[in-house]
Structure formats: C-alpha cells, structure tokens
Amino acid sequence: SRRRHTRFALVSWARRCVSETGINAEYGGFLIFATHARMSIAGKYEKELAETCAAIAAPGKGILAADESTGTIGKRFDAIKLENTEENRRAYRELLFTTPGDVDKWISGVIMYEETLYQKSKDGVPFPELLKKRGIYTGIKVDKGVVNLPGTDGETATTGLDGLGARCAKYYNDGARFAKWRAVLKIGDGLPSKLSMIENAHTLARYAAICQENGLAPIVEPEVLIDGSHNIQKAAQATEDVLSYVFKALNDHHVYLEGILLKPNMVTAGADSKEKSNPQEVAHYTVRTLQRTVPPAVKGIMFLSGGQSEEEATINLNAINQHAGPKPWSLSFSYGRALQQTVIKTWGGKAENVEAAQKAFQVRARANSEAQLGKYQSTGAAGESLYEKDYKY
C-alpha cells in the first residue's frame, strides 16, 4: 500500500514538473512522460464537423467531384466540341445536380469550384440550396494549384494558404460544409523526396486546421500519382510513407481527426508498368497501407479515381470493400472523371440529350454505391482509360 502511494506521488510530481516547466521528469531509471491535454482546433464546430463527415461517409454513399477548374472543364468541353462559357459550365453542373431518382441515396456530397458555388439553376435556385434540399452536402475546392518545389526533381507544393481563413468563413456562410485541398506527389528515383513529403504534409495540416476553425470539414488529399513504370510494391511503400507524414503533421497541428475525410489514391502499379495490378492485389496493398497509417478516428476514406477507367475504379473499390481484415473506416469514392466521362459524352452540350446523360450519371453513381457496399456485379467491360500524365485539376 505504501509502495502504491509512493508511486502515485512520484507520477503526480512528474506531471506537475511537466505542467510547470514543460519538460519530462526522470526517476529511478524510468523516464515518465506527461503531456498537456490535447487541444482540438475545431472548437465550437467539433460536433458539426463529426456529423458532416459521418453523413458524407454513410454506407452506400460517396462524393461527386465536380470541382474542375475553368481550364480543366474546358478540355472536357473541347472533346465534345462545346465552347467553354460560363453558361455552358453552369448548364452542365445543373444537369448533374438535378439528376432525378435515387441519386441522393448514392451521392452524399458534391465538391465545387468557386464559380459553381455561386451559380444557380435555371429556376433561380442557388446550387448549394438545391443540393441541401436533396440531403447532399456542398463542398468547395480551396487550394490554388501547385508550383514547383525548389531543390527537387520536378516535385511540387500546393498554394492557397494566404487568406484561407477568410475564404473558408465566407464559403461556410454561403452554404459550403466541407472543403478539398489536393497535394501531388510523384514516384521515381528517390521520389517522393523527404522534402516533398514534409512540405505537402505540413500544408495539408495547416489547411485542415484552418478549415476546422471556420466550420468546414476538410478533405485531406495527398495524391501519389500513377505516373511511371514502378510496380505495386513500390507504390504501396510510397503511399505508406506519404500517409505517415500526413498523419504526423495532422496531429502536430491539433487537427480533429473525427472531423476530416481522407482522399488518397488506391495503391496500383504505375501507368507504364509491365506488371499490371488485378483488383485483388489493389485491394490487398491498399487496405494494408491504410491499416498501417490511418487512425480509426477517421470516419471516411474517399478514394480518388486517379485516371482509372470508370469501370476499373468501380471494380477496384468493390474489391477493397470485399477484402478480408479490419477496416474501421468507411471506404468509399470521391470521383470526378470516373463518374462523369460517359455523362459528358452523352450530353454533348445538347439540351435534347440531358435526360440520357442523367441516366448515364445514375448508372455510374449507383454502381459505385454498390461497390462501397462490396456488392457490385461488373459488366465485364474494361472502359476507356482516363489516365492523363501529370494530371492537374
């Protein structure tokens, strides 16, 4: 009893030392660590952020990434010989957002480009309000693109932190409830470099903290590109390294993990690799990588499609959800091209094709919903590759 009392007194003394001096205390050869209570950056928004993430990552639901920049959507329009005007961009997004039927059972969130956030339907309803009536959350892309990272072999850093707090507060007031920031990392000889991983992890964490301070649930997107001829094992190691740096930084910045969503790449062989990955291999290496790096506090992991064909992205998501082993997060989708490729081709910029294009969107949204549940039955069609080297939004 006296020993227990003495031990308790020593531990209490050590904690007081830390509290008063900020240093660790050592007694009898044992180093006793005591730390300050962890401060959450989310503050008054903590409950709302957790609820937003849980709703977006609900079973059978995923995200439509419709946040293509003006330049990127212009490339899509070029393919259908459509002029890249604001009205055409508005009309196309309205086609997606007003698709009838059970879309709200399959899509829980939509990421928008800033222009789209302030556009309205032809009936004058702001897009965020239109989606809210359907139970779909509005998200907003907040990064400003990438720039070269000096001292590296063509690696990049993402910009947009300046003024981000004020922008997030404005977007929240205008109906957005989550945000997205994309970091881009490359695999190659000595890549991704430690400098690139540290820089991109730091900016992702700063962005996430600023979002949470202003009520937006941050999507953390560290994309390891599929560019290259590497095998799946190298992709797994690179993705594991990147995610390890990211979650270290998120914790350093006191980011509330229950109030974020992760948007990583699936682990696949490089686009130019001779060793192509089958769905079971993708599932094995992807799930193992996440098990090693992502805390269970994170509610949802919403994969990017990363240049996979529409069907390939769905099949691989299905395999990931069917994979045996512990998966304490919702494993879902945040797809852009893999939800829209057939839609935009079917539409062709013509009003008479809107209904057919919306049916095409229903097909892809439902397919990925089923894949999130591990219940998708493939059509067997491989689909058109959507890979673009050094892809930029």
PDB file of all heavy atoms in Angstrom, residues 63 138 194 204 236 258 275 293 297 306 313 326:
ATOM      1  N   ILE A  63     -18.863  10.753 -52.950  1.00  0.00           N
ATOM      2  CA  ILE A  63     -18.771  12.156 -53.356  1.00  0.00           C
ATOM      3  C   ILE A  63     -18.621  12.275 -54.865  1.00  0.00           C
ATOM      4  O   ILE A  63     -17.856  11.537 -55.496  1.00  0.00           O
ATOM      5  CB  ILE A  63     -17.580  12.832 -52.670  1.00  0.00           C
ATOM      6  CG1 ILE A  63     -17.788  12.886 -51.148  1.00  0.00           C
ATOM      7  CG2 ILE A  63     -17.339  14.237 -53.211  1.00  0.00           C
ATOM      8  CD1 ILE A  63     -16.570  13.368 -50.373  1.00  0.00           C
ATOM      9  N   THR A 138     -22.609  20.353 -49.691  1.00  0.00           N
ATOM     10  CA  THR A 138     -21.810  21.119 -50.650  1.00  0.00           C
ATOM     11  C   THR A 138     -20.388  21.275 -50.131  1.00  0.00           C
ATOM     12  O   THR A 138     -20.173  21.670 -48.987  1.00  0.00           O
ATOM     13  CB  THR A 138     -22.414  22.514 -50.884  1.00  0.00           C
ATOM     14  OG1 THR A 138     -23.672  22.365 -51.561  1.00  0.00           O
ATOM     15  CG2 THR A 138     -21.500  23.379 -51.739  1.00  0.00           C
ATOM     16  N   LYS A 194      11.965  13.309 -49.158  1.00  0.00           N
ATOM     17  CA  LYS A 194      11.565  13.673 -47.798  1.00  0.00           C
ATOM     18  C   LYS A 194      11.081  15.116 -47.752  1.00  0.00           C
ATOM     19  O   LYS A 194      10.096  15.434 -47.070  1.00  0.00           O
ATOM     20  CB  LYS A 194      12.739  13.475 -46.842  1.00  0.00           C
ATOM     21  CG  LYS A 194      12.382  13.720 -45.382  1.00  0.00           C
ATOM     22  CD  LYS A 194      13.557  13.400 -44.469  1.00  0.00           C
ATOM     23  CE  LYS A 194      13.186  13.651 -43.013  1.00  0.00           C
ATOM     24  NZ  LYS A 194      14.323  13.343 -42.104  1.00  0.00           N
ATOM     25  N   LEU A 204      -1.045  20.472 -45.966  1.00  0.00           N
ATOM     26  CA  LEU A 204      -2.328  19.783 -45.779  1.00  0.00           C
ATOM     27  C   LEU A 204      -2.832  19.962 -44.347  1.00  0.00           C
ATOM     28  O   LEU A 204      -4.022  20.192 -44.117  1.00  0.00           O
ATOM     29  CB  LEU A 204      -2.191  18.292 -46.099  1.00  0.00           C
ATOM     30  CG  LEU A 204      -2.239  17.899 -47.570  1.00  0.00           C
ATOM     31  CD1 LEU A 204      -1.779  16.450 -47.747  1.00  0.00           C
ATOM     32  CD2 LEU A 204      -3.635  18.083 -48.160  1.00  0.00           C
ATOM     33  N   ALA A 236       2.959   0.963 -52.988  1.00  0.00           N
ATOM     34  CA  ALA A 236       2.498   0.767 -51.612  1.00  0.00           C
ATOM     35  C   ALA A 236       3.437   1.431 -50.622  1.00  0.00           C
ATOM     36  O   ALA A 236       2.998   2.101 -49.674  1.00  0.00           O
ATOM     37  CB  ALA A 236       2.374  -0.725 -51.308  1.00  0.00           C
ATOM     38  N   GLU A 258     -11.731  13.138 -36.151  1.00  0.00           N
ATOM     39  CA  GLU A 258     -13.116  12.727 -36.387  1.00  0.00           C
ATOM     40  C   GLU A 258     -13.832  13.692 -37.316  1.00  0.00           C
ATOM     41  O   GLU A 258     -14.913  13.383 -37.821  1.00  0.00           O
ATOM     42  CB  GLU A 258     -13.876  12.628 -35.063  1.00  0.00           C
ATOM     43  CG  GLU A 258     -13.460  11.470 -34.180  1.00  0.00           C
ATOM     44  CD  GLU A 258     -12.218  11.754 -33.328  1.00  0.00           C
ATOM     45  OE1 GLU A 258     -11.564  12.809 -33.553  1.00  0.00           O
ATOM     46  OE2 GLU A 258     -11.910  10.938 -32.439  1.00  0.00           O
ATOM     47  N   GLU A 275       3.871  -4.756 -65.142  1.00  0.00           N
ATOM     48  CA  GLU A 275       3.186  -5.622 -64.177  1.00  0.00           C
ATOM     49  C   GLU A 275       1.855  -4.969 -63.794  1.00  0.00           C
ATOM     50  O   GLU A 275       1.790  -4.163 -62.883  1.00  0.00           O
ATOM     51  CB  GLU A 275       4.052  -5.824 -62.930  1.00  0.00           C
ATOM     52  CG  GLU A 275       5.429  -6.404 -63.211  1.00  0.00           C
ATOM     53  CD  GLU A 275       6.282  -6.462 -61.958  1.00  0.00           C
ATOM     54  OE1 GLU A 275       5.721  -6.485 -60.835  1.00  0.00           O
ATOM     55  OE2 GLU A 275       7.514  -6.473 -62.091  1.00  0.00           O
ATOM     56  N   THR A 293      -1.365   3.108 -41.419  1.00  0.00           N
ATOM     57  CA  THR A 293      -1.145   4.551 -41.336  1.00  0.00           C
ATOM     58  C   THR A 293      -2.331   5.384 -40.869  1.00  0.00           C
ATOM     59  O   THR A 293      -2.122   6.475 -40.336  1.00  0.00           O
ATOM     60  CB  THR A 293      -0.723   5.101 -42.725  1.00  0.00           C
ATOM     61  OG1 THR A 293      -1.720   4.723 -43.694  1.00  0.00           O
ATOM     62  CG2 THR A 293       0.625   4.554 -43.151  1.00  0.00           C
ATOM     63  N   ALA A 297     -10.037   6.803 -35.925  1.00  0.00           N
ATOM     64  CA  ALA A 297     -10.831   8.007 -35.650  1.00  0.00           C
ATOM     65  C   ALA A 297     -11.347   8.644 -36.934  1.00  0.00           C
ATOM     66  O   ALA A 297     -12.377   9.327 -36.927  1.00  0.00           O
ATOM     67  CB  ALA A 297      -9.997   9.022 -34.864  1.00  0.00           C
ATOM     68  N   GLY A 306      -7.982   8.664 -59.970  1.00  0.00           N
ATOM     69  CA  GLY A 306      -6.593   8.691 -60.408  1.00  0.00           C
ATOM     70  C   GLY A 306      -6.327   8.225 -61.821  1.00  0.00           C
ATOM     71  O   GLY A 306      -5.288   7.630 -62.094  1.00  0.00           O
ATOM     72  N   ALA A 313     -12.306   1.782 -61.801  1.00  0.00           N
ATOM     73  CA  ALA A 313     -12.402   2.442 -60.499  1.00  0.00           C
ATOM     74  C   ALA A 313     -13.483   1.803 -59.639  1.00  0.00           C
ATOM     75  O   ALA A 313     -13.334   1.674 -58.419  1.00  0.00           O
ATOM     76  CB  ALA A 313     -12.692   3.931 -60.693  1.00  0.00           C
ATOM     77  N   PRO A 326      -9.509  -6.167 -40.853  1.00  0.00           N
ATOM     78  CA  PRO A 326     -10.122  -4.996 -40.205  1.00  0.00           C
ATOM     79  C   PRO A 326     -10.095  -3.758 -41.093  1.00  0.00           C
ATOM     80  O   PRO A 326      -9.063  -3.402 -41.661  1.00  0.00           O
ATOM     81  CB  PRO A 326      -9.260  -4.803 -38.943  1.00  0.00           C
ATOM     82  CG  PRO A 326      -7.968  -5.502 -39.234  1.00  0.00           C
ATOM     83  CD  PRO A 326      -8.303  -6.636 -40.143  1.00  0.00           C
TER      84      PRO A 326
END
